[in-house]
Amino acid sequence: MTRAAVISGLGGWLPPRVVTNDDLPAELDTSDRWIRTRTGIARRHFAARGSATSDLAVEAGRRALASFGEPNVDAVVLATTTPDRTCPGTAPEVATRLGLEDAAAFDVNAACAGFLYGLACATGLITTGVADRVLLIGAETYSSILDPLDRGTAPIFGDGAGAVVLRAGAPDEPGAIGPIDLGSDGTGAELIRADGGGSRQRLAEGRERDGEHYLTMAGREVFKHAVVRMAASCQTVLERAAVGVADIDRLVAHQANIRIVRQLADELGIERDRVVTNIDRVGNTAAASVPLALLHGVADGTLRPGQRTLLTAFGAGLTWGSTLLTWPDLVLRD
Ligand code: UT7
């Protein structure tokens, strides 16, 4: 029988510090009204100084394992654009802190599409028999690369982590990951980037104070790509699964901007009441965005067992990915 990867646990964590739109620095020359109407964001969480992506990932991973009900997995895949450090990867430390001795552990950097790329990695590990259970975490500390005075990014991004446990199962089970579409276009690499500290733009001692490590984003251009790429990717998945858009109960898209999510839904012909969103509470949490939207959707009842659910994400790279599954019945644990 064909082996499938089945979502069987879900958890997430947000750092306690809440930053409302009104809490943002006055120098940004923005307003609560502008941010809400242009992005849908009302607040976001920022990690405390000294707190790193691994700290968020461990909290989310612990909750996903508790939801799964068993403490062990064979592999940890960590999707992040904001690892603790350039080397080594962050996943091995996360695995160890979760008590997962000897588990395979590696990072995936596909920016805001990282969770979809991570799902593909986890599915590959399971369907090829390399692993029977995989913990996939999307975790980000974007506050560490945000220029607090850039109004094109500072009000948009937030910190957080979301995680799922996937296990080997059957393709017709609820939670089984369906066809996956992934893609990239490096001609758009300049549109969202953080250069400083990489091998091309090395950081001289003390230079990080000049803000070279800050994220920059050509927002308007990225916006257009986001809608077009996610819509095409979703169509590919629907075609591969031979599923019509009328059969999609829920759309869970990367929470970059509520206007992007709505335009995407319109483009696909999915009514607004079938869209799961949490951007008002968390902002754009990049690789953590989709699993946190899943978690909040389950918690507030907008995502229920048995619903055929389309997942899609888009981000820097440019990168994008989509998949389809029937939402499983999961137990959430704090
Ligand atoms: O997660 C990875 C992928 N990321 C995305 O998909 C993000 C995509 N982009 C976006 O979500 C939006 O482009 C932003 C939210 C970043 C910006 O919204 P926008 O509607 O595209 O604004 P804009 O950059 O076209 O600027 C429109 C106006 C400008 O003023 P003028 O030139 O019309 O006078 C900006 O200066 O809004 C101004 N503006 C702001 N005003 C107050 C831009 N940012 C702000 C701000 N507060 N924060």
Side-chain angles (χ1 to χ4, degrees):
M1 196 182 70
T2 317
R3 228 165 118 102
V6 181
I7 292 189
S8 306
L10 173 69
W13 196 74
L14 293 165
R17 185 177 161 219
V18 176
V19 176
T20 68
N21 293 340
D22 287 330
D23 294 333
L24 292 166
E27 298 93 312
L28 272 180
D29 192 20
T30 187
S31 64
D32 177 56
R33 188 181 150 75
W34 192 96
I35 299 169
R36 277 178 198 261
T37 52
R38 304 298 289 181
T39 72
I41 299 166
R43 59 185 192 269
R44 75 286 294 142
H45 292 243
F46 282 157
R49 271 191 174 270
S51 171
T53 294
S54 60
D55 301 323
L56 279 61
V58 166
E59 294 293 343
R62 184 171 291 134
R63 286 163 174 79
L65 289 168
S67 160
F68 179 49
E70 292 171 41
N72 285 313
V73 294
D74 308 307
V76 175
V77 180
L78 175 63
T80 186
T81 339
T82 49
D84 286 13
R85 45 195 165 192
T86 308
C87 178
T90 304
E93 182 184 329
V94 171
T96 296
R97 286 170 59 188
L98 287 169
L100 301 166
E101 270 177 46
D102 294 337
F106 60 96
D107 295 3
V108 170
N109 179 347
C112 300
F115 186 75
L116 269 294
Y117 271 70
L119 270 183
C121 292
T123 300
L125 291 170
I126 288 172
T127 56
T128 54
V130 173
D132 291 329
R133 302 157 175 196
V134 179
L135 172 62
L136 166 62
I137 308 172
E140 301 279 16
T141 312
Y142 261 62
S143 58
S144 66
I145 56 167
L146 287 180
D147 177 350
L149 300 183
D150 176 2
R151 65 182 185 167
T153 55
I156 312 295
F157 292 90
D159 301 337
V164 294
V165 176
L166 298 113
R167 61 158 172 86
D172 55 359
E173 277 186 67
I177 300 297
I180 299 174
D181 175 65
L182 302 177
S184 77
D185 175 8
T187 64
E190 303 297 313
L191 297 176
I192 318 176
R193 57 184 220 267
D195 291 336
S199 57
R200 188 170 298 286
Q201 189 164 325
R202 300 174 192 202
L203 279 185
E205 207 174 326
R207 290 243 310 272
E208 71 277 10
R209 289 196 201 97
D210 299 339
E212 281 178 283
H213 65 297
Y214 286 149
L215 183 81
T216 62
M217 178 168 74
R220 202 179 300 193
E221 216 170 322
V222 171
F223 190 116
K224 289 181 215 151
H225 277 287
V227 177
V228 171
R229 302 298 198 177
M230 284 194 283
S233 180
C234 286
Q235 294 290 6
T236 301
V237 162
L238 292 176
E239 276 162 32
R240 281 192 203 152
V243 168
V245 82
D247 295 322
I248 296 301
D249 300 307
R250 288 294 179 267
L251 171 67
V252 183
H254 169 47
Q255 305 287 296
N257 184 321
I258 194 64
R259 288 157 52 225
I260 292 178
V261 178
R262 287 184 181 147
Q263 281 190 28
L264 171 67
D266 292 349
E267 191 83 17
L268 291 169
I270 294 177
E271 293 91 353
R272 301 267 167 91
D273 64 358
R274 288 192 271 159
V275 170
V276 173
T277 180
N278 66 344
I279 194 169
D280 56 327
R281 291 172 262 173
V282 296
N284 181 343
T285 56
S289 175
V290 169
L292 279 174
L294 293 172
L295 179 70
H296 293 154
V298 171
D300 67 20
T302 53
L303 179 60
R304 292 186 294 277
Q307 289 178 328
R308 196 173 271 176
T309 304
L310 187 55
L311 309 183
T312 188
F314 167 88
L318 306 169
T319 53
W320 57 87
S322 307
T323 195
L324 186 64
L325 75 160
T326 299
W327 190 251
D329 197 0
L330 301 176
V331 179
L332 300 185
R333 300 213 186 277
D334 262 342

